[in-house]
Amino acid sequence: MIVAHTEAEIPPKRDVERAFIPTMGALHEGHLSLVRAAREHASEVGVSIFVNPLQFGPTEDLSRYPRPLETDLALLAGLKVDWVFVPTVEQWLGRPTTSVSVGDLGTRWEGARRPGHFDGVATIVAKLFNTVKPDVAFFGLKDYQQCCVIQKIVTDLSFPIRLELLETIREEDGLAMSSRNAYLNADERAVAPHLYKSLVAVRHSLNAKSDPESACRIASDHLSSVGFNVDYIAVVDPDTLLPATEIKGNERIIAAAQLGDTWLIDNIGL
Ligand code: AMP
Protein backbone atom coordinates (compact mmCIF):
# COMPACT_ATOMS: atom_id res chain seq x y z
CA MET A 1 0.00 0.00 0.00
CA ILE A 2 1.42 3.36 -1.03
CA VAL A 3 1.21 6.14 1.54
CA ALA A 4 1.18 9.41 -0.41
CA HIS A 5 1.93 12.51 1.63
CA THR A 6 1.86 14.78 -1.42
CA GLU A 7 -0.28 14.96 -4.53
CA ALA A 8 2.73 13.90 -6.64
CA GLU A 9 3.03 10.64 -4.69
CA ILE A 10 -0.49 9.49 -5.62
CA PRO A 11 -0.05 6.82 -8.33
CA PRO A 12 -0.85 8.08 -11.84
CA LYS A 13 -4.21 7.04 -13.22
CA ARG A 14 -4.28 3.74 -15.07
CA ASP A 15 -6.89 2.44 -17.44
CA VAL A 16 -8.93 0.87 -14.61
CA GLU A 17 -11.75 2.16 -12.45
CA ARG A 18 -10.42 4.24 -9.57
CA ALA A 19 -12.59 4.19 -6.42
CA PHE A 20 -12.03 6.77 -3.71
CA ILE A 21 -13.14 7.08 -0.09
CA PRO A 22 -12.44 10.40 1.65
CA THR A 23 -12.18 10.18 5.44
CA MET A 24 -10.92 12.10 8.45
CA GLY A 25 -9.35 8.94 9.89
CA ALA A 26 -9.99 7.35 13.30
CA LEU A 27 -11.40 4.55 11.18
CA HIS A 28 -14.20 2.29 12.39
CA GLU A 29 -16.47 -0.31 10.80
CA GLY A 30 -18.51 2.46 9.12
CA HIS A 31 -15.48 3.65 7.17
CA LEU A 32 -14.26 0.11 6.57
CA SER A 33 -17.63 -0.90 5.09
CA LEU A 34 -17.11 1.77 2.43
CA VAL A 35 -13.59 0.51 1.75
CA ARG A 36 -14.79 -3.10 1.44
CA ALA A 37 -17.58 -2.10 -0.94
CA ALA A 38 -15.09 -0.14 -3.04
CA ARG A 39 -12.67 -3.08 -3.05
CA GLU A 40 -15.39 -5.40 -4.34
CA HIS A 41 -16.40 -2.88 -6.93
CA ALA A 42 -13.25 -1.38 -8.43
CA SER A 43 -9.78 -2.42 -9.55
CA GLU A 44 -8.07 0.45 -7.75
CA VAL A 45 -9.02 1.76 -4.31
CA GLY A 46 -7.65 4.93 -2.76
CA VAL A 47 -8.51 6.46 0.61
CA SER A 48 -7.70 9.89 1.98
CA ILE A 49 -7.14 10.70 5.62
CA PHE A 50 -7.34 14.41 6.24
CA VAL A 51 -8.84 16.17 9.25
CA ASN A 52 -10.25 19.09 7.31
CA PRO A 53 -9.84 22.32 9.30
CA LEU A 54 -12.28 24.16 7.00
CA GLN A 55 -15.23 22.15 8.27
CA PHE A 56 -14.62 22.84 11.96
CA GLY A 57 -16.01 26.00 13.57
CA PRO A 58 -13.86 28.12 15.88
CA THR A 59 -15.41 26.54 19.01
CA GLU A 60 -15.34 22.95 17.67
CA ASP A 61 -13.15 19.96 18.38
CA LEU A 62 -10.45 20.26 15.66
CA SER A 63 -7.48 19.92 18.00
CA ARG A 64 -8.91 17.02 20.01
CA TYR A 65 -10.19 15.11 16.95
CA PRO A 66 -8.59 11.61 17.18
CA ARG A 67 -5.66 10.96 14.82
CA PRO A 68 -4.51 7.31 15.23
CA LEU A 69 -2.67 7.29 11.90
CA GLU A 70 -0.60 4.11 12.33
CA THR A 71 -3.67 2.06 13.33
CA ASP A 72 -5.65 3.50 10.42
CA LEU A 73 -2.91 2.65 7.92
CA ALA A 74 -2.70 -0.92 9.25
CA LEU A 75 -6.48 -1.35 8.88
CA LEU A 76 -6.39 -0.06 5.31
CA ALA A 77 -3.41 -2.24 4.38
CA GLY A 78 -5.38 -5.22 5.76
CA LEU A 79 -8.20 -4.40 3.34
CA LYS A 80 -5.78 -4.28 0.39
CA VAL A 81 -6.22 -0.60 -0.31
CA ASP A 82 -3.87 0.46 -3.12
CA TRP A 83 -2.93 3.89 -1.78
CA VAL A 84 -3.72 6.32 1.00
CA PHE A 85 -3.43 10.08 0.55
CA VAL A 86 -2.41 11.72 3.83
CA PRO A 87 -1.73 15.36 2.99
CA THR A 88 -0.69 18.03 5.45
CA VAL A 89 -2.64 21.21 5.93
CA GLU A 90 0.44 23.32 5.24
CA GLN A 91 1.55 21.56 2.09
CA TRP A 92 -1.72 20.58 0.38
CA LEU A 93 -4.33 23.00 1.65
CA GLY A 94 -2.45 26.18 2.52
CA ARG A 95 -4.79 29.06 3.26
CA PRO A 96 -7.39 28.95 0.49
CA THR A 97 -9.67 31.93 0.02
CA THR A 98 -11.75 30.15 -2.65
CA SER A 99 -14.82 28.44 -1.30
CA VAL A 100 -17.38 26.06 -2.78
CA SER A 101 -20.86 26.72 -1.45
CA VAL A 102 -24.06 24.86 -2.28
CA GLY A 103 -26.45 27.53 -1.00
CA ASP A 104 -29.54 26.72 1.06
CA LEU A 105 -28.86 23.00 1.21
CA GLY A 106 -25.76 23.75 3.24
CA THR A 107 -27.32 26.23 5.64
CA ARG A 108 -30.16 24.12 7.07
CA TRP A 109 -29.96 21.66 9.98
CA GLU A 110 -26.27 20.82 10.49
CA GLY A 111 -25.43 23.91 8.47
CA ALA A 112 -27.45 26.12 10.83
CA ARG A 113 -25.84 24.61 13.91
CA ARG A 114 -22.38 24.67 12.32
CA PRO A 115 -22.18 27.80 10.12
CA GLY A 116 -19.68 27.35 7.29
CA HIS A 117 -19.38 23.59 7.91
CA PHE A 118 -20.73 22.47 4.55
CA ASP A 119 -18.76 25.11 2.63
CA GLY A 120 -15.70 23.58 4.29
CA VAL A 121 -16.81 20.07 3.32
CA ALA A 122 -17.73 21.05 -0.25
CA THR A 123 -14.47 22.94 -0.78
CA ILE A 124 -12.30 20.06 0.43
CA VAL A 125 -14.27 17.36 -1.37
CA ALA A 126 -14.05 19.36 -4.62
CA LYS A 127 -10.30 19.79 -4.06
CA LEU A 128 -9.90 16.08 -3.29
CA PHE A 129 -11.87 15.15 -6.42
CA ASN A 130 -9.59 17.38 -8.53
CA THR A 131 -6.50 15.97 -6.85
CA VAL A 132 -7.45 12.28 -6.94
CA LYS A 133 -9.62 12.20 -10.08
CA PRO A 134 -11.69 9.17 -9.04
CA ASP A 135 -14.22 7.47 -11.29
CA VAL A 136 -16.41 6.56 -8.34
CA ALA A 137 -16.48 7.92 -4.78
CA PHE A 138 -18.02 6.25 -1.73
CA PHE A 139 -19.79 8.11 1.08
CA GLY A 140 -21.87 7.01 4.07
CA LEU A 141 -25.54 7.89 4.46
CA LYS A 142 -24.77 8.36 8.18
CA ASP A 143 -23.92 11.93 7.13
CA TYR A 144 -27.08 12.35 5.07
CA GLN A 145 -26.91 16.10 4.56
CA GLN A 146 -23.26 15.75 3.55
CA CYS A 147 -24.32 13.21 0.90
CA CYS A 148 -26.87 15.72 -0.46
CA VAL A 149 -24.24 18.47 -0.52
CA ILE A 150 -21.75 16.28 -2.38
CA GLN A 151 -24.39 15.12 -4.84
CA LYS A 152 -25.13 18.80 -5.49
CA ILE A 153 -21.50 19.80 -6.18
CA VAL A 154 -21.04 16.80 -8.47
CA THR A 155 -24.15 17.81 -10.44
CA ASP A 156 -23.69 21.58 -10.39
CA LEU A 157 -19.95 21.56 -11.13
CA SER A 158 -20.11 18.58 -13.56
CA PHE A 159 -17.57 16.38 -11.82
CA PRO A 160 -17.35 13.21 -13.97
CA ILE A 161 -17.66 11.04 -10.86
CA ARG A 162 -20.25 8.49 -9.82
CA LEU A 163 -21.32 8.50 -6.19
CA GLU A 164 -22.08 5.40 -4.16
CA LEU A 165 -23.96 6.26 -0.96
CA LEU A 166 -23.99 3.36 1.49
CA GLU A 167 -26.09 2.49 4.52
CA THR A 168 -25.10 3.44 8.05
CA ILE A 169 -23.20 0.85 10.06
CA ARG A 170 -24.43 0.64 13.66
CA GLU A 171 -23.36 -0.83 16.97
CA GLU A 172 -25.47 -3.76 18.17
CA ASP A 173 -27.65 -1.41 20.22
CA GLY A 174 -28.39 0.78 17.19
CA LEU A 175 -25.96 3.65 17.82
CA ALA A 176 -24.53 4.81 14.50
CA MET A 177 -20.77 4.27 14.47
CA SER A 178 -18.87 7.54 14.60
CA SER A 179 -15.35 8.64 15.47
CA ARG A 180 -16.97 11.01 17.98
CA ASN A 181 -18.55 8.15 19.97
CA ALA A 182 -15.12 7.84 21.62
CA TYR A 183 -15.86 11.11 23.44
CA LEU A 184 -18.88 9.62 25.28
CA ASN A 185 -18.41 8.57 28.90
CA ALA A 186 -20.02 5.31 30.11
CA ASP A 187 -23.28 6.98 31.19
CA GLU A 188 -23.59 8.92 27.94
CA ARG A 189 -22.77 5.82 25.90
CA ALA A 190 -25.61 3.97 27.64
CA VAL A 191 -28.09 6.71 26.71
CA ALA A 192 -26.78 7.32 23.17
CA PRO A 193 -28.82 4.58 21.37
CA HIS A 194 -32.01 6.49 22.22
CA LEU A 195 -31.22 8.77 19.29
CA TYR A 196 -31.65 5.94 16.78
CA LYS A 197 -34.59 4.51 18.74
CA SER A 198 -36.33 7.87 18.47
CA LEU A 199 -35.87 7.92 14.71
CA VAL A 200 -37.42 4.47 14.53
CA ALA A 201 -40.28 5.61 16.78
CA VAL A 202 -40.98 8.53 14.43
CA ARG A 203 -41.02 6.12 11.49
CA HIS A 204 -43.55 3.90 13.30
CA SER A 205 -45.74 6.89 14.08
CA LEU A 206 -45.66 8.06 10.48
CA ASN A 207 -46.52 4.58 9.27
CA ALA A 208 -49.48 4.75 11.67
CA LYS A 209 -50.47 8.03 9.95
CA SER A 210 -49.38 10.45 12.68
CA ASP A 211 -48.48 13.88 11.41
CA PRO A 212 -44.72 14.52 11.16
CA GLU A 213 -44.70 17.49 13.51
CA SER A 214 -46.35 15.76 16.45
CA ALA A 215 -44.33 12.55 15.90
CA CYS A 216 -41.11 14.59 16.03
CA ARG A 217 -42.28 16.59 19.06
CA ILE A 218 -42.92 13.39 21.03
CA ALA A 219 -39.51 11.99 20.02
CA SER A 220 -37.77 15.23 20.91
CA ASP A 221 -39.46 15.33 24.34
CA HIS A 222 -38.38 11.74 24.94
CA LEU A 223 -34.77 12.54 24.01
CA SER A 224 -34.77 15.54 26.34
CA SER A 225 -36.18 13.40 29.15
CA VAL A 226 -33.28 10.92 28.89
CA GLY A 227 -30.67 13.68 28.92
CA PHE A 228 -30.15 14.88 25.35
CA ASN A 229 -30.00 18.50 24.34
CA VAL A 230 -31.92 18.24 21.07
CA ASP A 231 -31.09 20.54 18.18
CA TYR A 232 -33.55 19.04 15.70
CA ILE A 233 -35.50 15.94 14.82
CA ALA A 234 -37.40 16.38 11.58
CA VAL A 235 -38.99 14.62 8.64
CA VAL A 236 -37.60 16.12 5.45
CA ASP A 237 -37.75 15.89 1.70
CA PRO A 238 -34.85 13.58 0.72
CA ASP A 239 -33.41 16.01 -1.85
CA THR A 240 -34.13 19.55 -0.64
CA LEU A 241 -34.11 18.69 3.09
CA LEU A 242 -37.09 21.01 3.53
CA PRO A 243 -39.54 19.83 6.21
CA ALA A 244 -42.09 17.44 4.73
CA THR A 245 -45.64 18.66 5.00
CA GLU A 246 -47.23 15.55 3.54
CA ILE A 247 -45.76 12.06 3.60
CA LYS A 248 -44.98 10.49 0.22
CA GLY A 249 -42.92 7.61 1.59
CA ASN A 250 -39.42 8.63 0.46
CA GLU A 251 -38.73 11.15 3.23
CA ARG A 252 -35.71 11.12 5.53
CA ILE A 253 -35.97 11.41 9.31
CA ILE A 254 -32.95 13.36 10.54
CA ALA A 255 -31.77 14.29 14.02
CA ALA A 256 -28.96 16.00 15.89
CA ALA A 257 -28.65 16.04 19.65
CA GLN A 258 -25.96 16.65 22.21
CA LEU A 259 -24.97 14.37 25.09
CA GLY A 260 -22.64 16.14 27.48
CA ASP A 261 -20.16 17.86 25.18
CA THR A 262 -20.66 15.47 22.27
CA TRP A 263 -22.93 16.10 19.29
CA LEU A 264 -24.47 13.02 17.69
CA ILE A 265 -26.26 12.97 14.36
CA ASP A 266 -28.28 10.20 12.79
CA ASN A 267 -30.96 9.63 10.17
CA ILE A 268 -33.08 6.88 8.63
CA GLY A 269 -35.29 6.57 5.57
CA LEU A 270 -39.02 6.08 5.76
P1 AMP B 1 -15.53 10.96 8.39
O1 AMP B 1 -14.22 10.33 8.67
O2 AMP B 1 -16.38 11.15 9.59
O3 AMP B 1 -15.40 12.20 7.52
O4 AMP B 1 -16.32 9.91 7.48
C1 AMP B 1 -15.79 9.44 6.27
C2 AMP B 1 -16.88 8.70 5.52
O5 AMP B 1 -17.33 7.59 6.30
C3 AMP B 1 -18.11 9.58 5.25
O6 AMP B 1 -18.60 9.29 3.95
C4 AMP B 1 -19.05 9.14 6.32
O7 AMP B 1 -20.41 9.34 5.98
C5 AMP B 1 -18.73 7.65 6.39
N1 AMP B 1 -19.21 7.09 7.67
C6 AMP B 1 -18.96 7.57 8.91
N2 AMP B 1 -19.62 6.83 9.84
C7 AMP B 1 -20.28 5.87 9.16
C8 AMP B 1 -21.14 4.79 9.54
N3 AMP B 1 -21.45 4.56 10.81
N4 AMP B 1 -21.66 4.01 8.57
C9 AMP B 1 -21.35 4.23 7.27
N5 AMP B 1 -20.55 5.22 6.83
C10 AMP B 1 -20.02 6.03 7.77
Side-chain angles (χ1 to χ4, degrees):
M1 185 177 78
I2 293 167
V3 180
H5 293 283
T6 65
E7 196 167 335
E9 288 166 353
I10 299 174
K13 270 199 94 168
R14 296 177 290 143
D15 193 17
V16 297
E17 192 167 47
R18 169 173 280 188
F20 177 51
I21 305 107
T23 81
M24 298 207 300
L27 303 178
H28 50 65
E29 265 310 306
H31 300 109
L32 301 183
S33 71
L34 302 181
V35 176
R36 281 195 201 95
R39 188 68 282 173
E40 275 174 27
H41 182 100
S43 305
E44 183 187 323
V45 177
V47 174
S48 64
I49 298 178
F50 182 65
V51 182
N52 168 23
L54 304 184
Q55 73 185 66
F56 287 78
T59 60
E60 292 185 350
D61 55 353
L62 174 63
S63 62
R64 76 162 178 158
Y65 199 85
R67 291 167 169 86
L69 183 61
E70 290 310 315
T71 313
D72 287 348
L73 293 178
L75 287 168
L76 295 175
L79 294 181
K80 308 237 175 311
V81 164
D82 295 289
W83 49 264
V84 187
F85 180 45
V86 194
T88 63
V89 173
E90 297 71 26
Q91 201 265 336
W92 181 66
L93 182 62
R95 292 175 174 274
T97 54
T98 305
S99 179
V100 179
S101 181
V102 297
D104 285 356
L105 194 58
T107 59
R108 308 195 170 102
W109 311 116
E110 285 304 284
R113 181 165 69 75
R114 308 178 68 185
H117 170 70
F118 286 115
D119 290 1
V121 171
T123 303
I124 283 300
V125 170
K127 188 172 168 76
L128 281 168
F129 283 173
N130 282 328
T131 301
V132 166
K133 298 179 182 59
D135 300 297
V136 53
F138 288 71
F139 292 88
L141 286 166
K142 149 86 170 44
D143 299 288
Y144 187 78
Q145 189 170 4
Q146 174 170 283
C147 288
C148 297
V149 165
I150 290 160
Q151 183 72 68
K152 191 84 180 113
I153 61 171
V154 165
T155 305
D156 287 358
L157 302 181
S158 301
F159 280 102
I161 297 172
R162 210 173 61 257
L163 296 181
E164 294 282 342
L165 309 177
L166 302 190
E167 272 310 325
T168 303
I169 305 297
R170 300 180 179 282
E171 304 285 357
E172 269 182 24
D173 57 13
L175 176 65
M177 288 193 182
S178 163
S179 309
R180 290 194 167 91
N181 293 351
Y183 301 157
L184 299 170
N185 67 30
D187 291 343
E188 292 161 352
R189 177 62 189 81
V191 171
H194 280 273
L195 187 60
Y196 173 62
K197 289 184 182 139
S198 295
L199 295 172
V200 173
V202 170
R203 179 161 64 192
H204 281 149
S205 303
L206 295 176
N207 286 338
K209 307 286 176 235
S210 289
D211 73 282
E213 234 176 87
S214 53
C216 290
R217 196 169 337 105
I218 292 167
S220 175
D221 289 347
H222 169 71
L223 287 172
S224 302
S225 74
V226 295
F228 281 91
N229 167 29
V230 181
D231 184 21
Y232 59 82
I233 177 160
V235 183
V236 298
D237 177 276
D239 301 316
T240 63
L241 301 185
L242 286 167
T245 43
E246 55 168 326
I247 298 302
K248 297 187 196 126
N250 64 346
E251 287 76 14
R252 209 81 199 170
I253 310 166
I254 60 172
Q258 189 183 27
L259 264 185
D261 292 335
T262 307
W263 280 99
L264 301 176
I265 60 170
D266 202 350
N267 71 90
I268 58 173
L270 260 191

